[in-house]
Amino acid sequence: SISLNNVGEVRRESGDTARADAAFAESLEISRRLHQQYGESPQMLRDLSISLYNMGRTRFESGDVAGAEAAFAESLKISRRLHQQYGESPQTLRDLSIGLDAVGQVRRASGDMAGAEAAFAESLEIRRRLQQQYGESPQTLRDLSISLNNVGEVRRESGDTAGAEAAFAESLEISRRLHQQYGESPQTLRGLSVGLNSVGQVRRDSGDLAGAEAAFAESLEIQRQLIDQYGATPRREMEVQYTQNALDQLWEVVPSRVAESTP
């Protein structure tokens, strides 16, 4: 089951969603058999939750929102049981927060902004607790940054520009700390570029075109650095195109360049 999850993850990262889904489906079938034939244990429950989560991701990425929602909901239910029945630990808390993020994403995709915000807010609360109770690490900081970005996205789409900007600013600050304190890696660079894009979007929404341009330009520079240093992938190339398009749209608004239009 674990090997199939690993194979599925590699296929998913390379963009082969159909074959990733097949590997995750077989892994999930095995996890269910283990649970049914050999009884319940924390490890078996966690493996089942992970297989469901992986299945949900491939369904979500292939556009099957209803199928993704069902898989994520079952995965989250198991994570809650693990937390309640077997006690609190960094692992049970983190698994719970990951499940909440997944449910939040699928609710957001289906237009349930209130439900998405509730899931993201609970995940953020858990990640703040993890940082406070169990100490700071690259993982806890990165998870906290992701939760803040998720909260910011829902606020932005709901029209709460000020609330979105506050969440994005804190998320970006954490991403900068990760980069500075723990060194450069593909993960820290991508986290920084994602945070900058989010800040650029909300600045653009609020009319701060010069600030938006600065954020998008820095993000684009980092994304190109990722490709130069660590190689091109479909996701990296797509993110470069997205950020370049965002800059092009800004320059169309003010052809003489946005930065020169602001005193």
Side-chain angles (χ1 to χ4, degrees), residues 104-156:
Q105 292 291 1
V106 82
R107 287 176 179 172
R108 179 183 166 210
S110 63
D112 179 8
M113 290 301 170
E117 187 167 16
F120 289 146
E122 186 180 353
S123 174
L124 177 58
E125 181 186 359
I126 290 168
R127 285 174 174 173
R128 290 200 192 278
R129 281 177 56 202
L130 275 165
Q131 183 191 20
Q132 292 162 1
Q133 291 180 210
Y134 298 99
E136 191 170 286
S137 70
Q139 186 179 74
T140 58
L141 285 174
R142 183 173 179 271
D143 287 348
L144 186 54
S145 177
I146 290 169
S147 279
L148 284 160
N149 202 71
N150 288 336
V151 168
E153 286 293 343
V154 172
R155 288 176 179 174
R156 176 176 170 264

Side-chain angles (χ1 to χ4, degrees), residues 92-105:
T92 59
L93 284 173
R94 185 169 189 265
D95 287 349
L96 189 53
S97 73
I98 289 171
L100 285 160
D101 277 350
V103 167
Q105 292 291 1

Side-chain angles (χ1 to χ4, degrees), residues 179-192:
H179 182 244
Q180 292 163 358
Q181 291 179 213
Y182 297 99
E184 187 171 291
S185 69
Q187 191 177 64
T188 58
L189 286 173
R190 183 173 185 270
L192 198 50

Side-chain angles (χ1 to χ4, degrees), residues 15 61 63 67 75 78 81 101 107 117 123 150-151 158 161 164 166 168 172 174 190 198 205 221 225 246 252:
E61 289 164 3
S75 177
I78 293 168
R81 280 182 57 201
D101 277 350
R107 287 176 179 172
E117 187 167 16
S123 174
N150 288 336
V151 168
S158 302
T161 304
F168 288 147
L172 178 58
I174 293 168
R190 183 173 185 270
S198 296
D205 293 347
E221 181 181 353
Q225 180 186 347
E252 285 174 10

Side-chain angles (χ1 to χ4, degrees), residues 3-188:
S3 290
L4 284 160
N5 271 332
N6 291 337
V7 168
E9 193 59 45
V10 171
R11 289 175 178 173
R12 177 179 168 269
E13 287 292 326
S14 64
D16 188 355
T17 305
R19 292 179 70 226
D21 191 62
F24 290 142
E26 188 178 353
S27 174
L28 176 59
E29 181 186 359
I30 293 168
S31 292
R32 289 200 192 280
R33 280 177 53 203
L34 278 165
H35 181 241
Q36 291 163 359
Q37 291 180 211
Y38 297 98
E40 188 169 290
S41 71
Q43 188 61 56
M44 284 184 185
L45 283 174
R46 185 168 188 267
D47 288 347
L48 184 55
S49 176
I50 290 169
S51 290
L52 284 159
Y53 171 79
N54 287 334
M55 174 69 72
R57 282 195 302 172
T58 55
R59 288 180 177 175
F60 187 64
E61 289 164 3
S62 64
D64 180 7
V65 177
E69 187 169 17
F72 286 148
E74 187 179 354
S75 177
L76 178 59
K77 182 179 178 182
I78 293 168
S79 292
R80 288 200 190 278
R81 280 182 57 201
L82 278 164
H83 179 243
Q84 292 163 358
Q85 289 180 214
Y86 297 100
E88 186 171 295
S89 69
Q91 186 179 74
T92 59
L93 284 173
R94 185 169 189 265
D95 287 349
L96 189 53
S97 73
I98 289 171
L100 285 160
D101 277 350
V103 167
Q105 292 291 1
V106 82
R107 287 176 179 172
R108 179 183 166 210
S110 63
D112 179 8
M113 290 301 170
E117 187 167 16
F120 289 146
E122 186 180 353
S123 174
L124 177 58
E125 181 186 359
I126 290 168
R127 285 174 174 173
R128 290 200 192 278
R129 281 177 56 202
L130 275 165
Q131 183 191 20
Q132 292 162 1
Q133 291 180 210
Y134 298 99
E136 191 170 286
S137 70
Q139 186 179 74
T140 58
L141 285 174
R142 183 173 179 271
D143 287 348
L144 186 54
S145 177
I146 290 169
S147 279
L148 284 160
N149 202 71
N150 288 336
V151 168
E153 286 293 343
V154 172
R155 288 176 179 174
R156 176 176 170 264
E157 290 174 16
S158 302
D160 180 8
T161 304
E165 189 165 15
F168 288 147
E170 186 180 355
S171 176
L172 178 58
E173 180 187 1
I174 293 168
S175 293
R176 290 200 190 279
R177 281 180 55 203
L178 275 165
H179 182 244
Q180 292 163 358
Q181 291 179 213
Y182 297 99
E184 187 171 291
S185 69
Q187 191 177 64
T188 58

